[in-house]
Amino acid sequence: MRIHRRRTSMALVTLLSAVAAVTLWSTVRPGMTVPPASSLIRHVRRGPSTGIVFTSRTEAASLRPEAPESEPYREPALVPWAAGEGRLRLLDDRGLLYELTWGRRLLDGSTLIDVMSPSVSIDGGRVLFAGRKGQNDRWRIYEVRVDGSGLRQLTGGPGDPGCVAVPPLRFRADGSRIADADRRRLDYDDVDPADLGPNGFAFASSRLPDLGRDQSRRATQIWAWSPGANAPEPLTANRNNDRWPVLIAGEQVLFSLWSRNREAVTADLSGVQPVSLGGEHATRPTDHWMAAFISANAAQFGYAIKADEPVWRPRPLFNGRIAYMTTSTPESQMRLAQADWGYIRTSPSSLADGQYLPDEGGARRSYGPDRDAEGRALTAACPSPAPDNSVLFAGSPAGSPPASFGIYQVSDDWATAEPVPRLLFDDPDLVDAEPVAVYPRRFIPEPRRVTAPLAEGYDRPASIKLESGATYTGPMGYLENLAIGAAIRNPIPWHDRSGGERIDPRADPLVSPPPNVASVAVYSANRDRFDDPDRLRIPGTWEKRVVLPVFGRDALRGWVPSDPLGPSVLVGQDAEGHVARWIGPASGGRPERSYFAQAGDHYSGVRSNGYHYCNGCHTGHTFTVLDPTERAGPTAPGFFPIK
């Protein structure tokens, strides 16, 4: 057991706090359906400014962003992000602590042994989270009301169809093969849920079976399950890992995207191909985590933050910025950061190999405190907002065992001073992490385009002629871009350049727009297949499917294949059919750069009969002006049990 060493004055404060907590413990909070966890009173350091939920687990698995490499063909399967034990807890604003899941019975009489990634519903009354019933069970989505009632399973029930296609082959210990239907029904993980209000809930899932190119990690995408729907639908199309969605202003879903596309522009500009095929390339494949957004109806994808370090678990703050956890090198400790919406430092898929973006375009980034109240170096992770303009996070003295992680709170103003974090709770036997404040959020529905517009000449065709010469009659979606020649905004609209100078982005863009895109090629990065009785894994192919003309300088419209097992990459082509390349001239103190019209840092998905809008064809890719400020709901901040 770890013992906190404190000065005498700090020990006295802690003792007085404990005495006060004992007094409070004699009264159960009105409305709660579970009793306080009296055995944990000594671990409560102080009550938070508002009630919080968090997880306490035996391992620090919640801090790992990517799915693990695994041998996918033998039972039992390696369950990603699993811990031996995990509990969902609530610490209210009076310092009372409650167990919301441990030992609690579900409707079928079972209990949960592990939990992960909690979030609070928009009305502040429910907690959504991922849970497992047994050590070999996969993750499913659950919910419980903040008063401790209503614990129930949301995904993976008898009516859940499971995987979209057959997942990796699996064999029992005796060598017998598990049936395809059973694997489709069971072999996937649902994690990281987020409430979408009247539009249901989102989560990350491996229901699109894929191990990704040249690796054996199960891919995850962001999915949404609408009220009354028989199954969820994918919002994103990654072949690697998408994690940690959250609904923000404008009905946009903010999330972390592992950009690990293995394709690059060939040196002769004849096209884009996987680098594993060999040869020379003008760009390099991507391998970084960024903050991205997707509209709640999947109609538009874009970037939110592209830093030169990983952007994990992005969350909107009450100060209008985005907080995230990161690390400067793979070996360094985790720390907190926050950045303006639109901060961008990297985009390797569309920059010449070895080049970097010259500046941030006026956007700012700052790092959180790296010391605790006792001056010790601090490892910090899992940031989330609280209504008093503070940030909740999981922290531990650097170099300490994983069980040293506790729940902290700190001011969200990191630019003018370095605030001192306050320790709220620390169970010395478990990893306390993933704190989320309990409060209602303001939600204003916005009109959403769900179906494709019937522009003149663009009624849904009966078939599409592919570049291979084959005729395609499968699912199709409508793709539109009316700003191919538009510049990415610079600076981010609500910030000036240092010195107060306001720069007109039309005259001095951060990235110059392409002057030479005559058409857009749609490539398909087909997923791995696992449906062959003799071959365990059939690697996904890469093919150029269709080419759409650009009308005038800016307009692109057309129907494209929309098979979720074949996500797309969009590439701008010049008049000769080569990948469009241009030189961004030196401007505003920035050197010239060599750019390529390739949206190669993500895979795109277009829903069947759905509408998808891209904005621009430039380095950095789609950017939407948005105020992501977190907003509390109409009731006063504080602990908010549902009535």
Side-chain angles (χ1 to χ4, degrees), residues 299-604:
Q300 186 175 27
F301 168 92
Y303 91 91
I305 297 173
K306 287 186 176 181
D308 44 13
E309 74 273 359
V311 180
W312 293 317
R313 203 186 286 260
R315 290 295 182 262
L317 298 180
F318 281 87
N319 66 10
R321 311 185 81 204
I322 303 298
Y324 56 95
M325 65 184 192
T326 189
T327 181
S328 55
T329 67
E331 297 77 26
S332 61
Q333 64 194 41
M334 282 188 176
R335 65 186 308 183
L336 305 183
Q338 58 175 277
D340 294 323
W341 181 263
Y343 180 91
I344 182 170
R345 287 292 294 153
T346 183
S347 189
S349 69
S350 49
L351 277 164
D353 189 5
Q355 291 191 359
Y356 296 86
L357 292 176
D359 73 4
E360 301 87 351
R364 299 168 300 163
R365 174 192 58 190
S366 56
Y367 291 107
D370 59 2
R371 300 277 169 177
D372 65 11
E374 299 178 28
R376 298 173 297 184
L378 185 68
T379 298
C382 307
S384 67
D388 62 347
N389 276 90
S390 66
V391 178
L392 299 166
F393 68 96
S396 169
S400 299
S404 301
F405 271 93
I407 305 301
Y408 288 78
Q409 190 167 18
V410 69
S411 166
D412 65 10
D413 182 4
W414 304 343
T416 60
E418 186 168 316
V420 178
R422 306 184 304 275
L423 179 63
L424 304 179
F425 176 84
D426 181 14
D427 184 335
D429 298 321
L430 296 174
V431 180
D432 306 304
E434 305 182 286
V436 182
V438 180
Y439 60 91
R441 302 169 63 198
R442 193 180 309 163
F443 177 79
I444 303 175
E446 296 190 0
R448 303 186 299 160
R449 177 179 283 178
V450 178
T451 58
L454 297 180
E456 183 178 355
Y458 282 90
D459 293 346
R460 188 187 190 283
S463 63
I464 298 174
K465 194 72 169 180
L466 302 180
E467 285 293 294
S468 65
T471 298
Y472 176 85
T473 58
M476 304 176 196
Y478 189 84
L479 180 65
E480 183 176 48
N481 186 331
L482 303 180
I484 285 180
I488 190 170
R489 293 179 183 272
N490 172 42
I492 303 305
W494 45 88
H495 290 288
D496 296 332
R497 190 179 295 280
S498 59
E501 179 188 9
R502 176 73 70 173
I503 303 297
D504 184 344
R506 295 167 297 182
D508 185 25
L510 174 62
V511 176
S512 61
N516 57 342
V517 175
S519 62
V520 171
V522 180
Y523 286 81
S524 179
N526 299 312
R527 301 186 189 279
D528 295 343
R529 286 176 33 222
F530 309 96
D531 54 0
D532 189 290
D534 301 316
R535 300 174 62 188
L536 296 179
R537 175 181 180 180
I538 302 176
T541 58
W542 172 262
E543 60 179 310
K544 189 176 188 178
R545 305 209 82 184
V546 297
V547 175
L548 301 176
V550 171
F551 299 94
R553 185 172 181 267
D554 287 327
L556 170 78
R557 300 185 183 93
W559 291 88
V560 298
S562 62
D563 184 354
L565 299 180
S568 301
V569 171
L570 307 182
V571 179
Q573 300 184 150
D574 60 22
E576 287 72 42
H578 295 147
V579 177
R581 176 182 181 270
W582 70 100
I583 302 296
S587 173
R590 298 185 297 274
E592 68 176 28
R593 286 290 186 266
S594 183
Y595 301 120
F596 299 86
Q598 183 203 6
D601 61 355
H602 66 281
Y603 295 108
S604 300

Side-chain angles (χ1 to χ4, degrees), residues 40-109:
L40 299 174
I41 182 174
R42 63 188 182 277
H43 305 315
V44 178
R45 302 293 184 249
R46 68 179 69 214
S49 59
T50 186
I52 62 174
V53 293
F54 60 96
T55 57
S56 296
R57 309 179 69 198
T58 50
E59 288 86 43
S62 303
L63 309 186
R64 301 169 190 155
E66 73 278 355
E69 293 268 6
S70 65
E71 167 57 60
Y73 308 116
R74 297 293 178 203
E75 286 289 299
L78 176 64
V79 180
W81 310 297
E85 174 187 313
R87 306 181 178 205
L88 180 66
R89 289 169 166 171
L90 183 148
L91 178 64
D92 76 7
D93 52 355
R94 299 194 303 174
L96 301 179
L97 191 134
Y98 301 85
E99 297 275 16
L100 295 182
T101 58
W102 192 251
R104 304 282 311 285
R105 295 288 178 184
L106 291 156
L107 294 177
D108 62 1

